[in-house]
Amino acid sequence: MITSNRMQESGVWTAARSRRRMDLTRIVSFILLVIITLIMLMPLAFMVTTSFKSQRETMQYPPTLFPDSLQFSNYTEIFSRLQFGTMYQNSLMIAVITVLATLLSSSLVAYGFARFRGKGRNLMFMLLLSTMMLPYPAIMIPQFVLFSKLGWVDTFLPLIVPAFFGSAYNIFLLRQFFANLPEELFDAGRMDGCTEIGMYWKIALPLSGAAMATIAIFSFIYSWNDLLTPVLYLNSADKFTLPVGMASLTSSKFRVAPWHLLMVASVLALLPIVVLFILAQKRFVEGIVLTGIK
Amino acid sequence: MVNIKRKWYQKTLTVLSTLLATTVMLSGCGGSGSSAGADGDAVTITYYTIDSPDRTFVEQLIPDFEKQHPNIKVKVATAPYEQFDSKLQTMIAGGNAPDITSHFGYGGFAEYYNKGMLLDMTDLLKESGFQADKYKIPKNLMDIYQVDGHTYGIPFSSYVTLLLYNKDLFDAAGVAYPPSDYNDKSWTFDKMVEDAKKLTVISDDPNKQQYGLQFGWGELDNRPFYFGAKMYSDDTWTNGGVPSESYFDSPESIAAYKKIFGLVFDDKVSPPPEWSASVAGQGGDPFVTGKVAMSVGGSWNLSGANDFGFNVGVAAVPAGGNDKVRSTLFVDPLFILKDSKHPKEALAWIEYLLQTDIQKQSIELSGGTPPVNQDAAEEYYSHFQSIDPKDLRNVYEGAYQYGYESFNHLIVNYSQINDMMINEMQPLQNGTAQVEDVMPKVQQKMEEILARSKK
């Protein structure tokens, strides 16, 4: 009794001690994380506060984190000075269509590669992957010749249409994902008389929420940030996308760059990506929950 | 079961076709015809420029031009400064070249000329009876873009090198304003440095720190020219920009660069690069912050001068040892590209832009582009509030008299030269190396670049 009692006591004691140690490591790591988070958030905070400064204050040394007075007019000025609304609309339209087109085309091709066996499948897949190794500048001029012969220069088509033909990286990603889906699900589908297209649409796609969300984010960010392609193909100011307009703000050789307006543009340009991340995060969780099979 | 089959096919197809239809609809708005328009015999010409308000102002002139020339339509294509050259190259390679442009990007006339991008305008000008006098273009400016008597470009705006000074800082320090007269013999480089010393305030408090002078005369490789050193052999200026020799390690060049970098590290009147970046941001101009008293540089530094928040004056670039040259000129010409299908119409647009009243209008619309038309120049001289028009006129007339077109417009492969100069001179800018040690290497690299240009 006594021994067991003592053992019990000492057991409680060590548990308490280890719990205390746990708490301590937790607190330390928590503090560390907070510090790191703050460091990471600094540039973001600086961007937001700079967007409310006057041009003169952006030049002040040492720089101020909080502006002396909030200049809300920056947010209206950007619309009058840059045709910001038009550019925003153009960028958003191109990005949304690109995302939808990429999701559709890449998943369709990936489904084929994942589910069908046939002669030359691996060869075709290798060919597909090899297109990933071509850097954009290598195809820039031939593609420009093609699109200008089609009369597509100064339209959105060269920015959108390629998305309807899939992209190797996304196809690769989705193929791996589809290949890991349990065969039984498709057998069940076949038993119920579902077609391949039906199984693609009804089984493969809903189970791939996480992968699709990843691709949506990738292709959205790519299209949203792309500078070179719109610079090459778009000529008229009313067709410009956000990156083109923002590049023009910094690259004017003859003026001091209006950093406060650039920060306004950056804050506004960031919003859709933040929204997309929040939306996609939901899909990540769903995707994991739904994949289970008993 | 068949129903299910069809349903899924249909849904997918609907989605696909909707997407395609949207795309076609969206693009439909831009699908107007390319060159020869459908309306009558109207011809469309493209003017390619930088996407910046001081350049795109020409869009506001188009309706007036099209009214005068009902058979010509002008389209403006733009790109950001950094991407200007690569887009132009792609457009030309893709058979979609613009009709008119200038060297608005990094590359200069010599580069365009040697790549065979430009139309020889000599016959076209003769045919249409073009007279430079009619547009009051000084002859020496007209000569800049001629090679062996053939004209490849017509000047339309002209920037010079001048000295800007902050009147408020001069008043506070009790220093007399520098003169705008190029014939004032007392105004020398040494006198400028002497004044700059009086205007420099060294302090640990970055807000009180103030410098006397920033010396941005021409590009890095031009700069010794100001002190009378010869950098490139004379044949460069007649053969289309291919120097047979360069002299960057000559005693004169070394002495000149010692003077230039000495402003920062010996005389301590010029700001070190890290200070400039910290007060004005990357690529910004510290003079605008009001912490630098004098700034020697291109007259584009004047644009926005009405909003600087302090009183600005202009003065002559002081005599530095070169009797003939004291000001680098940056004369921007308009080119017609070789691939243009409508050179005649393109010339009509160029001539329109050179008219006196249009050149006058352009000053206001662009926020201070210096016109090449000397009848319009008077309007430019009085454009800036705190600047006496007489001073600006003196400075411009002196600059033309002592002027030399910037090397960056005249030498082949200039972007490579410029990159090399910036990289090799980095240790000098930071004060971690001696001029004597760096220049032989610069000369060697320069020879390598020039050897490649000769081929």
Side-chain angles (χ1 to χ4, degrees):
Chain A
M1 274 290 271
I2 295 168
T3 39
S4 75
N5 235 345
R6 195 172 281 165
M7 267 173 70
Q8 232 174 337
E9 262 172 38
S10 74
V12 168
W13 190 71
T14 39
R17 195 170 61 174
S18 74
R19 197 179 305 137
R20 202 177 303 151
R21 200 183 293 141
M22 269 277 284
D23 285 348
L24 203 69
T25 42
R26 269 192 166 184
I27 288 168
V28 169
S29 59
F30 183 74
I31 291 172
L32 261 175
L33 283 175
V34 167
I35 291 172
I36 293 170
T37 312
L38 283 179
I39 293 173
M40 301 294 262
L41 283 178
M42 255 308 276
L44 209 71
F46 196 60
M47 176 180 88
V48 174
T49 59
T50 305
S51 74
F52 289 105
K53 287 179 187 171
S54 62
Q55 175 148 26
R56 186 141 311 145
E57 208 186 332
T58 60
M59 294 286 173
Q60 232 168 59
Y61 187 84
T64 50
L65 180 56
F66 297 102
D68 293 339
S69 65
L70 295 178
Q71 192 171 308
F72 289 102
S73 59
N74 291 349
Y75 279 78
T76 48
E77 196 185 337
I78 190 118
F79 284 93
S80 57
R81 189 159 158 184
L82 242 189
Q83 285 193 298
F84 195 75
T86 321
M87 290 178 188
Y88 210 85
Q89 219 177 326
N90 293 345
S91 269
L92 209 58
M93 192 153 71
I94 293 170
V96 167
I97 297 177
T98 305
V99 167
L100 292 178
T102 307
L103 286 178
L104 193 74
S105 59
S106 296
S107 62
L108 200 60
V109 178
Y111 185 82
F113 275 120
R115 309 248 8 122
F116 293 105
R117 260 156 282 271
K119 249 192 189 163
R121 182 182 73 148
N122 283 335
L123 185 75
M124 267 160 72
F125 196 60
M126 294 298 273
L127 265 176
L128 176 85
L129 288 185
S130 67
T131 61
M132 269 164 72
M133 284 156 213
L134 281 177
Y136 183 68
I139 56 164
M140 193 167 91
I141 289 178
Q143 207 181 49
F144 188 86
V145 174
L146 171 71
F147 287 143
S148 70
K149 287 246 164 77
L150 288 172
W152 287 4
V153 171
D154 210 20
T155 70
F156 294 147
L157 286 175
L159 308 178
I160 294 171
V161 171
F164 281 95
F165 294 86
S167 84
Y169 180 73
N170 296 332
I171 292 171
F172 173 70
L173 205 82
L174 275 173
R175 190 198 86 122
Q176 302 311 99
F177 204 90
F178 287 156
N180 287 335
L181 292 176
E183 190 62 36
E184 290 87 340
L185 288 175
F186 295 93
D187 288 342
R190 219 165 277 131
M191 294 275 283
D192 288 344
C194 195
T195 59
E196 278 298 334
I197 291 280
M199 287 191 286
Y200 152 75
W201 192 255
K202 214 173 182 185
I203 299 172
L205 283 191
L207 289 180
S208 313
M212 295 291 271
T214 311
I215 287 167
I217 289 177
F218 280 163
S219 59
F220 187 87
I221 291 178
Y222 183 80
S223 159
W224 192 249
N225 288 341
D226 189 17
L227 173 63
L228 192 56
T229 334
V231 158
L232 288 182
Y233 288 106
L234 304 178
N235 288 333
S236 332
D238 61 330
K239 295 208 178 67
F240 280 174
T241 60
L242 270 184
V244 183
M246 284 163 74
S248 297
L249 268 188
T250 45
S251 73
S252 174
K253 187 182 165 191
F254 302 101
R255 273 154 219 257
V256 179
W259 291 108
H260 58 311
L261 293 184
L262 257 167
M263 290 306 125
V264 174
S266 308
V267 170
L268 294 176
L270 200 66
L271 288 180
I273 297 185
V274 173
V275 171
L276 190 71
F277 256 98
I278 295 170
L279 289 178
Q281 207 164 26
K282 246 187 190 166
R283 300 289 305 167
F284 278 125
V285 181
E286 263 174 46
I288 294 161
V289 172
L290 288 175
T291 337
I293 187 162
K294 290 201 181 117
Chain B
M1 250 180 254
V2 178
N3 271 343
I4 296 172
K5 224 188 227 173
R6 213 166 262 159
K7 211 172 146 199
W8 285 112
Y9 265 120
Q10 278 169 344
K11 260 205 180 170
T12 329
L13 275 174
T14 330
V15 175
L16 243 175
S17 50
T18 326
L19 280 172
L20 270 171
T22 344
T23 333
V24 172
M25 261 156 54
L26 290 173
S27 60
C29 38
S32 57
S34 49
S35 52
D39 36 328
D41 287 307
V43 148
T44 303
I45 54 173
T46 310
Y47 176 74
Y48 177 52
T49 186
I50 301 179
D51 181 28
S52 151
D54 54 349
R55 296 295 190 191
T56 50
F57 71 90
V58 290
E59 285 177 343
Q60 298 169 56
L61 299 169
I62 292 174
D64 181 45
F65 173 79
E66 288 180 348
K67 212 185 283 166
Q68 289 179 28
H69 301 84
N71 60 328
I72 309 176
K73 296 241 171 298
V74 182
K75 235 171 71 182
V76 175
T78 63
Y81 177 65
E82 309 283 328
Q83 282 78 25
F84 182 84
D85 285 322
S86 48
K87 174 161 175 166
L88 181 61
Q89 300 292 349
T90 315
M91 286 166 96
I92 291 173
N96 215 318
D99 297 279
I100 310 127
T101 188
S102 183
H103 47 208
F104 293 122
Y106 284 115
F109 163 71
E111 204 153 324
Y112 293 4
Y113 168 76
N114 281 283
K115 280 184 180 161
M117 288 156 57
L118 304 178
L119 181 83
D120 180 353
M121 296 161 79
T122 320
D123 295 338
L124 186 66
L125 294 181
K126 225 178 264 165
E127 217 174 281
S128 71
F130 178 87
Q131 293 287 328
D133 295 343
K134 188 177 154 200
Y135 304 107
K136 297 288 180 299
I137 305 172
K139 191 185 171 307
N140 56 335
L141 301 192
M142 204 51 207
D143 289 345
I144 298 172
Y145 297 104
Q146 289 180 348
V147 181
D148 300 330
H150 291 260
T151 307
Y152 290 89
I154 300 174
F156 80 101
S157 74
S158 88
Y159 294 91
V160 302
T161 303
L162 42 71
L163 189 151
L164 288 188
Y165 60 95
N166 184 327
K167 285 184 175 170
D168 300 357
L169 294 185
F170 269 77
D171 291 344
V175 180
Y177 295 154
S180 63
D181 183 2
Y182 268 78
N183 297 317
D184 187 333
K185 293 273 182 278
S186 70
W187 186 231
T188 61
F189 181 79
D190 294 335
K191 173 79 170 68
M192 176 174 70
V193 175
E194 206 179 290
D195 282 356
K197 279 181 184 155
K198 291 180 202 153
L199 291 156
T200 301
V201 180
I202 304 287
S203 165
D204 289 336
D205 180 354
N207 276 321
K208 292 197 181 119
Q209 176 81 52
Q210 175 188 315
Y211 286 98
L213 169 70
Q214 57 187 29
F215 191 69
W217 196 91
E219 308 284 346
L220 269 176
D221 65 322
N222 287 39
R223 231 161 268 178
F225 199 45
Y226 169 75
F227 298 100
K230 188 170 167 180
M231 316 309 296
Y232 301 98
S233 53
D234 293 331
D235 54 1
T236 313
W237 322 119
T238 51
N239 69 5
V242 191
S244 56
E245 274 179 81
S246 63
Y247 315 103
F248 280 82
D249 54 354
S250 71
E252 293 83 18
S253 305
I254 290 176
Y257 279 117
K258 284 191 108 149
K259 268 193 189 174
I260 293 162
F261 292 106
L263 290 173
V264 180
F265 299 105
D266 305 330
D267 304 318
K268 298 201 164 45
V269 295
S270 289
E274 67 273 13
W275 183 84
S276 303
S278 72
V279 297
Q282 198 67 44
D285 180 1
F287 180 76
V288 177
T289 63
K291 292 178 197 295
V292 177
M294 289 183 274
S295 168
V296 174
S299 47
W300 52 80
N301 286 343
L302 265 175
S303 78
N306 289 342
D307 309 317
F308 282 175
F310 53 82
N311 291 307
V312 190
V314 292
V317 177
N322 188 332
D323 303 336
K324 293 207 181 82
V325 175
R326 276 159 74 178
S327 180
T328 316
L329 306 181
F330 302 88
V331 176
D332 286 330
L334 289 172
F335 306 127
I336 299 179
L337 292 182
K338 204 181 235 163
D339 296 343
S340 168
K341 289 179 193 80
H342 311 290
K344 255 190 210 149
E345 287 77 6
L347 184 63
W349 170 241
I350 293 178
E351 291 199 58
Y352 173 82
L353 290 177
L354 292 172
Q355 290 169 25
T356 308
D357 54 325
I358 300 302
Q359 287 252 303
K360 274 186 189 166
Q361 231 177 307
S362 306
I363 302 167
E364 196 57 44
L365 289 175
S366 65
T369 297
V372 76
N373 184 323
Q374 293 306 301
D375 279 352
E378 211 53 43
E379 192 112 342
Y380 173 72
Y381 300 148
S382 53
H383 181 76
F384 304 96
Q385 284 153 12
S386 65
I387 295 171
D388 185 345
K390 206 177 78 214
D391 284 339
L392 195 52
R393 187 188 315 120
N394 277 345
V395 165
Y396 253 84
E397 282 170 1
Y400 285 146
Q401 198 182 335
Y402 293 98
Y404 205 89
E405 182 61 17
S406 172
F407 292 176
N408 72 331
H409 293 165
L410 300 179
I411 296 180
V412 182
N413 284 340
Y414 194 81
S415 36
Q416 277 182 40
I417 293 179
N418 200 36
D419 283 350
M420 185 274 285
M421 292 298 287
I422 290 170
N423 289 338
E424 295 300 318
M425 295 225 153
Q426 197 63 45
L428 295 175
Q429 306 268 24
N430 298 330
T432 55
Q434 293 299 313
V435 176
E436 292 89 336
D437 304 330
V438 173
M439 293 324 291
K441 188 134 181 260
V442 170
Q443 170 66 14
Q444 189 203 328
K445 295 226 162 176
M446 187 66 79
E447 280 170 8
E448 286 167 17
I449 295 177
L450 296 181
R452 260 176 273 147
S453 312
K454 274 177 217 155
K455 276 174 202 161

